[in-house]
Amino acid sequence: MTSSLDENSKEKMRSVSVDLNNDASLLIDIPDALCERDKVKFTVHTKTTLSAFQKPEFSVPRQHEDFIWLHDTLVETEDYAGLIIPPAPPKPDFESPREKMHKLGEGEATMTKEEYAKMKQELEAEYLAVFKKTVQVHEIFLQRVSSHPILNKDRNFQIFLEYDQDLTVRRKNAKEMFGGFFKNMVKSADEVLISGVKEVDDFFEQEKTFLLDYYSKIKDSTAKAEKMTRAHKNIADDYIHISATLNSLSADDSTANKKHLEKLSDLFEKLRKVEGRVASDQELKLTELLRYYMRDIQAAKDLLYRRARALADYENSNKALDKARLKSKDIPQAEEHQQQCLQKFDKLSNSGKKELTGFKGRRVVAFRKNLIEMAELEIKHAKNNATLLQGCIELLKSN
Amino acid sequence: MATSSERSPPPFPDSEDQDVLDPEDVGGRDSDEEDGEDLFLSPSDPPLADLDTPLPLANQPIEVLMTPPSDIMSDLLIEPISCQSEIQSASEVVTEPSDDFVDLTNNLTEEAADNVAAAAQDTAIISLDEPSDDFVDLLGSETEALQEEAVVVVDVPADTATDKSEGMGSDTDPPGEGKEEVEEVEEVEEASTAAVFDLIGDSGGESDSNTQQSPGIDTFVDPLVDLLSDTPPAAEAQKPSMATIDLFNEDEGSDLFSDPLLTMSARQPQKSLFGETDEDLFGEPLGATSKKTINKEQKDKTVTIKAAAVGGGINITGPLQEINPAEAGDLFTEEAVATVPSVSSTSTVNSKTNGVHSEEETDIFAEATVELSLDSPRSERKKEVMAKPSAPAPSLSATASLAKPQSAALEEMDEEEEEEQEDQFEIFVSVKDPEKIGDGMTAYMAYKLSTQTTLPMFRTKTFTVRRRFSDFLGLYEKLSEKHGPNGYIVPPPPEKSILGMTKMKVGKDDSSSADFVERRRGALERYVQRVVNHPSLLQDPDVREFLEREELPRAVSTQALSGAGFLKMINKATDAVSKMTIKMNESDVWFEDKLQEVESADQQFRKLHALVESLVVHRKELSLNTASFAKSAAMLGSAEDNTALSRALSQLAEVEDKMEQLHQDQASNDTFSFAELIADFIRLLGAVRGSFDHRIKAWQRWQDGQAMLQKKRETEAKLLWANKPDKLQLAKEEIAEWEAKVTQYEREFDRVSATVRKEVIRFEKEKAKNFKRQIIKYLESLLQSQQQLIKYWDAFLPEAKAIA
């Protein structure tokens, strides 16, 4: 299946969970994307006044793996250890609509033609929504990087935007995959180890507890919200079937009931559209928000980990210096190392503090925006529903 | 024929009867007129050309009739005829039709005092060449004269007939019914004779001495002669109506009746009333009185109309004649106007017969009866009828006759609505306060059954009894046993649910148990309400006992695992088998179509029910998920360190909490207002199918009877051939016995068919009404929850905006 995004629908979709300071010097968007089997090709379009780029405007084709590569290189760059690296976009997942489509195909015999067509239409819409969302999260990732005063100077980032060939990033081989897994293990073990290190700064101490707590909560909320929106979607789907059955009932009916059934069928058809919108808007405004901040908090936690690591390193260097002094051996190196560690730790602490404060502000703003939008949409849809119902009731009562 | 045959038909409410009649009146008219035209254009033309050809004209209708009737006529005619003898002979001849009917015909003939009918009779007589002397002269020259004459003649029989019918009643009729009819007839006669007197100003004196035929006739001869020129139109007018009747009667083979009917086209509405519905009325004590008065009223009306018509017919003849040569069609309508009452009444009769003899009907008629028999404002009918005579006969042209059906249709609609409103307030039963009685496995639920009614048949306006579930089932058993085989759709109660009951008995007070009890309570309430809304079932003593009596004998046969239950199961199984084996070649398209419709509706409703159930499941799921999200959001809010955001999140949690309640309420609304409605329909559709099955069973009985009769006849033939006179006699007796049986079976089948048809129509109407009401209720619940939703989110919006 191949589908592409048109500009205006994307505009609408930009519910974006982050408020980006749109710096006119570097504007990035993904105006188009192409889905081929399980690969998605994004067209990354850049408009810039920065001299670092050769041309003021250019477009390059990128795949999901390229984004991951960019994210990983950013994470691995030592200089950015004190920054919250924008979370990598999740892998495009078209499994669920595909699976549903498959199921639908199997159940075709049990449905009327119309019903089937409607279900298919619904699934296509769902598929398109997933597709749009995928494009959106990739776009947001780039925009966040580009709006960051330090990250947007990154060489790899600029290559990512500018290099007009395929980046041909190697797919991670098994060893690397395992390596990544191993690294994670080490990291978790390390986290436990360094958790014993006494925190010197209250701010970070608080931040750590908060983020840990918040992360588990938001993770739970995300899962629950997902379930809730899915349940809502099911109801919209039920309406389709009910509408179709009512319709075929009215076709067979020759009594006065025919009109009632027809009207009711129409009503359910309209209701399911609204109900479907309710579900997808909830998904977009609430679930997506929670999901994004879940990842963002993970990124913030990573920052804390890096700082804690640096702190541990500093403590270790202190011990090493003490030892060196005791042995009166290699004191300058140890001192230098200790200084380095201290410097690094201080730098991390400073930028971390700034980043975390900024993160908090960003989060609050994003939540505000999304919650307002969601409430407004809910009201709009409910009003829509109410009008439809009212109209139908009046119609029924009138004859 | 079958119309007359029911001796003890099921009780019918007045309104129903009226319903049946009126619509036909309206709808039937069109079709009749058409038919009439087609048929009669040819016969009617000749008279126009030749005034002297009454014979062929008269003959034609008779030819249409089957042989037996003509025989009858000849018999009648052969005897120097007084009308009495005619009637009597007719009644003698009438062996097949029920005796009641004979009376009816007699009555009718009497009532035929109305000129038109009488004239027809006379013409028939004349054509047969054996009229009484007086008549011959008159008729030979002018048929119109006959009309007038007929009035007199009929008057005579009218009185005599009453005597006769009284006599007859004792001889042939089940006395009760016959008596009642006779009484009625007398009333009618009085009215009609009176009218006749008015009509014939001259003969006022003579009509008093009606019993003496000859004087009356003599007196009339003169005026009639004068009216020579008038004859053709009048004759024509009669003919159409006659012919139409003949057509229909033909199939039934009861031409016998058709003759009297013909003669008394004006009487026919009453006839049909008597034939079918009236008897019903009589059978039912309550309806009888009111019905009678209605009949009387109607009769009066018709009489007056007749008077007008006669007057009109005579006066108009000039214009009519002019018109006639020009356009046959117009002619007919004009005539129709002159004989409006007769035409319209014939139409009623026709459609009536259609209703009964479903096999012979054309679709048009079937449709007409179907649609029209629903509504039956009697007052409207009155108005209609009254309106007709009041208008000057000549000006009552085709337009008038066209306008009438329309206005009538409109009126009907109004009337229908009124009716609906009416019967809504007549009786209302509520089932409330389910209460668990006893403990353990012997525990049961008892419900409070409160009735509010304005019906006079109940002693008080409100009363309350306690009933347990099995009582409801017991009521259904009784009703379906009594009324099911007659083709009634007995509303089914909710099914037994062993699971639900067990849960309840175990005493689990969880939501599903409460849900079950509430579901059942609602279903029971709707069930009882349906029963009492059914005009015939409401009359059943068991229903009244169920509603009123303090203590009800325990219904035992309803237990699923009892011996009776086992028997029932076996019965059901055999029924299912026989249903499969009986292959009825359905000759009535209406039933075929309806059955198909019902079956497909059943299937679709089942599907819909499953879908709504899954909607309920999903809604409950949503409610559950919303609840857990609400909790989670509350936790998130507590974890949030930004005060405003934290507040907003906990507000969100609250909103979601309310949302959960909303979804849950909506889920139960889905269940109670929507799913239960559909479940009801599925049950009802099953009952409808049951009534179809009963009709097929009746048919099967009839077919079996016929086969048996055939066999007996063969045996007789064999015996005859073998020349065994002793056994032959026995065989003949058997044949006679089986003939009677077959006739009875056929009548039963016709009756069941008619009932099923009426019931199905009633069911459909009720269904549409019910569906609309319930759906509106359901949609309102949806609307309400949407409005709540708006409220909740509206309240949340400022909180979200307050996040800083």
Side-chain angles (χ1 to χ4, degrees):
Chain A
M1 185 186 292
T2 307
S3 38
S4 66
L5 265 189
D6 50 305
E7 197 66 36
N8 57 359
S9 70
K10 200 192 54 167
E11 279 309 313
K12 210 169 55 195
M13 293 290 291
R14 197 172 291 172
S15 79
V16 187
S17 329
V18 275
D19 221 29
L20 302 160
N21 48 339
N22 275 326
D23 182 1
S25 63
L26 183 61
L27 293 174
I28 302 166
D29 64 337
I30 301 178
D32 195 26
L34 215 65
C35 182
E36 289 167 339
R37 298 187 58 81
D38 49 353
K39 252 190 255 167
V40 184
K41 280 189 176 166
F42 304 92
T43 307
V44 179
H45 172 254
T46 314
K47 215 173 153 183
T48 181
T49 54
L50 295 179
S51 55
F53 298 98
Q54 283 166 351
K55 282 183 279 178
E57 194 170 349
F58 40 84
S59 291
V60 290
R62 291 292 175 261
Q63 290 183 24
H64 172 72
E65 283 73 15
D66 302 333
F67 286 81
I68 300 299
W69 167 80
L70 178 60
H71 176 258
D72 288 351
T73 53
L74 291 178
V75 169
E76 279 157 20
T77 308
E78 195 73 15
D79 288 344
Y80 305 146
L83 307 177
I84 297 178
I85 308 295
K91 195 172 166 20
D93 180 17
F94 298 115
E95 269 317 298
S96 108
R98 269 205 194 112
E99 200 178 307
K100 274 191 190 169
M101 194 69 95
H102 186 66
K103 255 191 212 157
L104 181 67
E106 280 173 350
E108 189 177 351
T110 62
M111 279 179 259
T112 64
K113 239 184 181 161
E114 276 171 70
E115 204 175 348
Y116 179 73
K118 274 184 202 159
M119 283 303 282
K120 207 174 153 195
Q121 197 192 335
E122 196 62 19
L123 273 182
E124 275 165 6
E126 194 183 330
Y127 178 82
L128 202 66
V130 172
F131 185 75
K132 281 176 185 170
K133 214 169 63 191
T134 309
V135 171
Q136 202 197 342
V137 288
H138 285 79
E139 199 179 64
I140 289 169
F141 170 69
L142 292 180
Q143 283 169 345
R144 268 197 68 190
V145 175
S146 80
S147 64
H148 196 281
I150 297 166
L151 292 178
N152 68 7
K153 308 276 179 338
D154 182 69
R155 188 64 207 138
N156 285 325
F157 178 54
Q158 289 178 353
I159 289 169
F160 178 89
L161 292 178
E162 208 171 14
Y163 186 62
D164 61 352
Q165 306 288 306
D166 269 353
L167 276 180
T168 57
V169 177
R170 270 186 312 112
R171 305 278 164 271
K172 280 181 182 170
N173 60 30
K175 193 180 153 203
E176 273 173 327
M177 293 281 269
F178 182 73
F181 179 67
F182 185 68
K183 223 164 70 187
N184 272 338
M185 290 279 286
V186 171
K187 199 181 111 190
S188 325
D190 203 29
E191 260 170 5
V192 176
L193 276 179
I194 59 175
S195 65
V197 178
K198 194 177 171 294
E199 185 55 73
V200 289
D201 192 330
D202 274 353
F203 172 80
F204 284 101
E205 183 65 45
Q206 270 177 18
E207 231 13 66
K208 193 175 142 196
T209 359
F210 166 70
L211 284 178
L212 279 175
D213 183 37
Y214 203 79
Y215 181 74
S216 69
K217 299 279 165 59
I218 203 167
K219 200 175 165 189
D220 182 60
S221 291
T222 310
K224 299 283 162 59
E226 240 167 64
K227 268 175 130 181
M228 187 174 72
T229 44
R230 213 179 303 136
H232 218 115
K233 190 94 196 65
N234 282 338
I235 287 177
D237 285 349
D238 284 338
Y239 281 180
I240 295 182
H241 295 299
I242 289 174
S243 166
T245 310
L246 281 169
N247 201 24
S248 46
L249 251 177
S250 83
D252 291 341
D253 207 314
S254 62
T255 60
N257 221 6
K258 192 184 180 73
K259 283 177 295 179
H260 303 160
L261 290 168
E262 263 168 15
K263 267 176 215 132
L264 203 60
S265 166
D266 277 359
L267 175 73
F268 271 108
E269 172 61 19
K270 286 176 193 150
L271 282 185
R272 72 105 177 162
K273 279 188 180 140
V274 181
E275 215 59 56
R277 287 299 299 276
V278 172
S280 66
D281 283 338
Q282 263 182 15
E283 161 84 18
L284 208 63
K285 297 292 169 198
L286 186 67
T287 320
E288 229 5 64
L289 171 83
L290 294 171
R291 206 178 283 142
Y292 189 83
Y293 275 93
M294 188 179 88
R295 293 206 314 269
D296 219 5
I297 286 168
Q298 182 59 48
K301 269 169 65 192
D302 286 349
L303 167 66
L304 284 184
Y305 162 69
R306 288 194 295 269
R307 186 188 153 275
R309 181 73 256 169
L311 176 63
D313 284 350
Y314 171 63
E315 301 264 313
N316 286 343
S317 72
N318 268 347
K319 275 178 203 154
L321 183 61
D322 285 350
K323 229 186 232 168
R325 283 201 179 123
L326 213 67
K327 288 179 182 169
S328 308
K329 202 172 89 185
D330 297 335
I331 295 173
Q333 285 110 316
E335 263 180 350
E336 200 187 332
H337 181 69
Q338 189 251 5
Q339 278 305 311
Q340 268 175 4
C341 284
L342 179 62
Q343 238 173 25
K344 190 184 163 196
F345 172 68
D346 281 345
K347 197 182 139 208
L348 271 179
S349 293
N350 284 335
S351 73
K353 208 174 241 173
K354 224 166 73 193
E355 283 279 308
L356 286 171
T357 320
F359 165 73
K360 192 175 285 179
R362 205 170 62 224
R363 190 182 70 228
V364 171
V365 170
F367 266 85
R368 176 174 193 267
K369 180 170 169 269
N370 276 276
L371 287 179
I372 290 175
E373 277 174 2
M374 184 173 77
E376 277 168 353
L377 282 168
E378 290 273 2
I379 292 168
K380 189 185 120 196
H381 293 318
K383 278 185 176 158
N384 230 332
N385 267 339
T387 321
L388 285 173
L389 288 164
Q390 189 75 54
C392 189
I393 289 171
E394 269 158 25
L395 253 172
L396 281 176
K397 273 182 178 166
S398 70
N399 62 68
Chain B
M1 163 208 249
T3 32
S4 62
S5 63
E6 302 140 334
R7 301 253 167 136
S8 55
F12 258 69
D14 328 10
S15 58
E16 278 278 307
D17 295 349
Q18 286 296 73
D19 285 355
V20 178
L21 277 176
D22 279 57
E24 283 155 13
D25 200 9
V26 180
R29 195 174 296 144
D30 293 327
S31 47
D32 278 325
E33 270 175 339
E34 281 166 37
D35 276 31
E37 262 176 305
D38 292 342
L39 288 167
F40 294 102
L41 280 184
S42 45
S44 58
D45 283 332
L48 293 173
D50 280 298
L51 290 178
D52 296 40
T53 47
L55 288 178
L57 286 176
N59 282 341
Q60 258 154 351
I62 291 160
E63 277 161 13
V64 183
L65 306 172
M66 275 168 52
T67 39
S70 57
D71 291 343
I72 297 159
M73 289 308 280
S74 59
D75 287 340
L76 298 171
L77 297 169
I78 288 159
E79 295 163 61
I81 302 164
S82 68
C83 289
Q84 294 175 13
S85 62
E86 253 183 52
I87 294 151
Q88 254 162 349
S89 59
S91 54
E92 279 158 15
V93 179
V94 184
T95 46
E96 279 199 2
S98 77
D99 307 294
D100 310 327
F101 198 77
V102 176
D103 288 332
L104 287 173
T105 53
N106 291 342
N107 303 339
L108 297 170
T109 35
E110 298 144 24
E111 290 140 15
D114 308 17
N115 40 29
V116 187
Q121 211 176 4
D122 294 11
T123 40
I125 297 162
I126 294 151
S127 60
L128 291 171
D129 286 326
E130 285 142 310
S132 66
D133 307 353
D134 318 75
F135 286 92
V136 176
D137 299 350
L138 288 168
L139 294 171
S141 44
E142 324 102 52
T143 34
E144 227 298 321
L146 290 174
Q147 218 180 352
E148 285 278 76
E149 240 190 3
V151 176
V152 182
V153 174
V154 175
D155 287 357
V156 179
D159 287 6
T160 51
T162 32
D163 304 348
K164 216 189 322 155
S165 57
E166 273 165 350
M168 294 280 293
S170 51
D171 296 345
T172 48
D173 302 353
E177 279 173 27
K179 274 279 150 57
E180 268 171 328
E181 274 165 38
V182 170
E183 277 165 20
E184 255 229 322
V185 169
E186 277 173 340
E187 284 167 351
V188 174
E189 277 162 46
E190 273 159 20
S192 61
T193 45
V196 172
F197 300 154
D198 296 340
L199 269 179
I200 314 149
D202 305 8
S203 60
E206 275 117 24
S207 47
D208 286 339
S209 60
N210 282 335
T211 30
Q212 302 121 18
Q213 237 189 341
S214 47
I217 293 159
D218 292 336
T219 46
F220 282 101
V221 173
D222 299 26
L224 292 173
V225 174
D226 295 336
L227 293 167
L228 282 183
S229 55
D230 305 349
T231 46
E236 271 169 20
Q238 290 151 8
K239 262 167 275 150
S241 60
M242 281 165 62
T244 37
I245 295 156
D246 287 9
L247 262 184
F248 291 99
N249 289 339
E250 238 189 333
D251 317 278
E252 295 143 39
S254 64
D255 299 22
L256 224 191
F257 299 122
S258 63
D259 278 15
L261 292 176
L262 291 177
T263 43
M264 307 155 277
S265 48
R267 262 341 43 177
Q268 264 139 15
Q270 272 97 343
K271 177 243 148 184
S272 57
L273 278 174
F274 290 134
E276 242 200 349
T277 42
D278 259 16
E279 276 179 333
D280 298 343
L281 284 171
F282 292 135
E284 160 206 75
L286 282 173
T289 43
S290 58
K291 191 68 209 188
K292 252 194 230 171
T293 52
I294 292 154
N295 288 339
K296 235 199 291 177
E297 276 169 7
Q298 267 180 346
K299 254 167 249 182
D300 291 341
K301 260 176 279 151
T302 42
V303 171
T304 47
I305 294 155
K306 232 93 271 186
V310 173
I314 295 162
N315 299 334
I316 311 154
T317 43
L320 278 180
Q321 269 172 324
E322 277 166 16
I323 296 160
N324 294 346
E327 292 161 291
D330 284 6
L331 190 166
F332 181 77
T333 46
E334 284 280 88
E335 280 162 2
V337 173
T339 53
V340 169
S342 67
V343 173
S344 59
S345 51
T346 42
S347 67
T348 12
V349 174
N350 291 342
S351 39
K352 182 98 242 171
T353 44
N354 288 336
V356 178
H357 293 265
S358 40
E359 291 110 292
E360 296 120 10
E361 289 148 24
T362 59
D363 282 3
I364 304 162
F365 283 128
E367 289 297 320
T369 37
V370 169
E371 280 159 30
L372 295 163
S373 52
L374 291 175
D375 1 300
S376 59
R378 68 188 73 140
S379 57
E380 179 234 329
R381 179 181 166 78
K382 270 177 230 162
K383 269 183 259 160
E384 213 186 317
V385 179
M386 292 304 282
K388 266 179 265 166
S390 68
S395 63
L396 268 180
S397 58
T399 47
S401 58
L402 274 178
K404 247 174 281 151
Q406 280 171 358
S407 64
L410 281 177
E411 278 177 67
E412 258 168 61
M413 299 245 295
D414 295 350
E415 203 80 25
E416 203 180 325
E417 267 167 34
E418 276 170 37
E419 218 181 307
E420 272 173 35
Q421 281 172 348
E422 260 171 45
D423 57 39
Q424 265 176 12
F425 291 108
E426 270 176 353
I427 184 161
F428 180 77
V429 183
S430 63
V431 176
K432 283 181 296 199
D433 305 343
E435 186 189 332
K436 190 174 155 187
I437 292 181
D439 260 321
M441 283 322 278
T442 55
Y444 64 91
M445 295 299 288
Y447 303 85
K448 210 192 217 168
L449 193 72
S450 312
T451 312
Q452 281 176 298
T453 180
T454 54
L455 290 176
M457 58 185 272
F458 295 101
R459 279 188 294 275
T460 47
K461 280 205 177 355
T462 54
F463 40 87
T464 304
V465 288
R466 281 203 90 78
R467 293 283 176 260
R468 52 180 295 181
F469 181 65
S470 54
D471 294 335
F472 289 86
L473 288 185
L475 175 67
Y476 171 72
E477 292 298 329
K478 281 185 206 156
L479 290 179
S480 65
E481 213 169 281
K482 257 190 280 186
H483 299 282
N486 288 330
Y488 284 95
I489 298 171
V490 181
E495 294 84 4
K496 273 185 109 65
S497 162
I498 291 177
L499 182 71
M501 254 340 257
T502 317
K503 248 188 193 170
M504 194 276 298
K505 279 173 181 165
V506 171
K508 268 214 223 153
D509 277 336
D510 64 347
S511 68
S512 77
S513 176
D515 203 66
F516 166 76
V517 171
E518 172 57 23
R519 249 186 210 233
R520 171 165 280 184
R521 188 205 61 77
L524 287 175
E525 186 171 290
R526 288 191 301 274
Y527 157 67
V528 180
Q529 191 59 43
R530 276 202 183 92
V531 169
V532 299
N533 277 350
H534 194 294
S536 315
L537 295 183
L538 179 59
Q539 306 302 333
D540 193 287
D542 280 329
V543 173
R544 288 157 75 178
E545 192 175 66
F546 181 78
L547 292 176
E548 274 184 319
R549 207 168 127 179
E550 218 35 72
E551 287 294 320
L552 209 60
R554 175 109 164 75
V556 278
S557 60
T558 59
Q559 279 162 330
L561 297 174
S562 67
F566 188 63
L567 268 179
K568 237 187 293 170
M569 254 160 60
I570 290 176
N571 275 341
K572 266 186 196 151
T574 49
D575 271 5
V577 170
S578 68
K579 223 195 300 183
M580 273 188 280
T581 51
I582 296 178
K583 274 279 172 283
M584 180 175 183
N585 49 338
E586 184 63 79
S587 48
D588 190 338
V589 188
W590 188 88
F591 280 103
E592 208 171 352
D593 287 354
K594 272 293 166 226
L595 186 61
Q596 223 161 19
E597 219 174 82
V598 165
E599 266 167 9
S600 85
D602 183 66
Q603 214 180 350
Q604 296 284 2
F605 270 122
R606 271 172 206 283
K607 193 178 161 197
L608 189 61
H609 189 251
L611 286 173
V612 177
E613 288 287 346
S614 99
L615 174 68
V616 171
V617 169
H618 284 145
R619 191 94 72 181
K620 281 184 178 156
E621 229 167 62
L622 175 62
S623 159
L624 223 67
N625 289 333
T626 309
S628 64
F629 174 72
K631 261 188 217 115
S632 183
M635 296 294 281
L636 188 65
S638 71
E640 176 61 58
D641 58 357
N642 180 299
T643 354
L645 182 54
S646 163
R647 196 180 138 74
L649 282 174
S650 35
Q651 286 295 324
L652 178 67
E654 254 172 61
V655 170
E656 294 292 352
D657 236 359
K658 286 178 196 153
M659 217 69 84
E660 180 233 331
Q661 193 53 46
L662 217 54
H663 289 315
Q664 191 154 351
D665 292 349
Q666 193 51 52
S668 51
N669 273 325
D670 287 339
T671 311
F672 295 125
S673 301
F674 200 22
E676 282 296 277
L677 167 75
I678 297 161
D680 268 10
F681 279 159
I682 293 170
R683 279 197 282 268
L684 277 169
L685 285 171
V688 173
R689 279 213 290 207
S691 77
F692 276 93
D693 290 345
H694 280 303
R695 176 173 168 270
I696 288 175
K697 262 187 225 157
W699 181 83
Q700 183 63 24
R701 214 167 34 229
W702 176 33
Q703 294 302 306
D704 289 348
Q706 266 181 341
M708 189 54 117
L709 180 60
Q710 190 59 34
K711 231 159 81 186
K712 298 280 179 214
R713 282 204 174 120
E714 273 162 23
T715 326
E716 187 205 16
K718 266 183 213 154
L719 288 173
L720 205 62
W721 189 69
N723 200 11
K724 288 183 184 159
D726 48 333
K727 281 186 185 169
L728 198 60
Q729 188 53 36
L730 194 72
K732 274 198 171 124
E733 273 167 20
E734 271 183 354
I735 286 174
E737 182 194 329
W738 275 97
E739 267 171 353
K741 269 189 191 164
V742 167
T743 326
Q744 197 203 332
Y745 288 155
E746 188 184 357
R747 265 188 241 134
E748 257 166 35
F749 170 67
D750 287 342
R751 205 190 61 214
V752 171
S753 293
T755 315
V756 168
R757 187 185 277 258
K758 222 160 28 186
E759 284 285 290
V760 167
I761 287 160
R762 186 181 175 279
F763 161 75
E764 282 175 347
K765 197 173 136 198
E766 285 284 307
K767 186 177 90 170
K769 219 165 68 182
N770 223 309
F771 188 79
K772 189 171 137 185
R773 202 169 50 220
Q774 287 285 340
I775 279 301
I776 287 177
K777 212 169 112 194
Y778 173 62
L779 293 183
E780 271 166 353
S781 76
L782 273 176
L783 179 63
Q784 211 193 348
S785 69
Q786 290 298 328
Q787 276 161 348
Q788 281 298 108
L789 214 123
I790 295 173
K791 223 171 80 190
Y792 294 152
W793 283 112
D794 260 337
F796 175 71
L797 200 53
E799 291 291 339
K801 282 182 176 159
I803 303 170

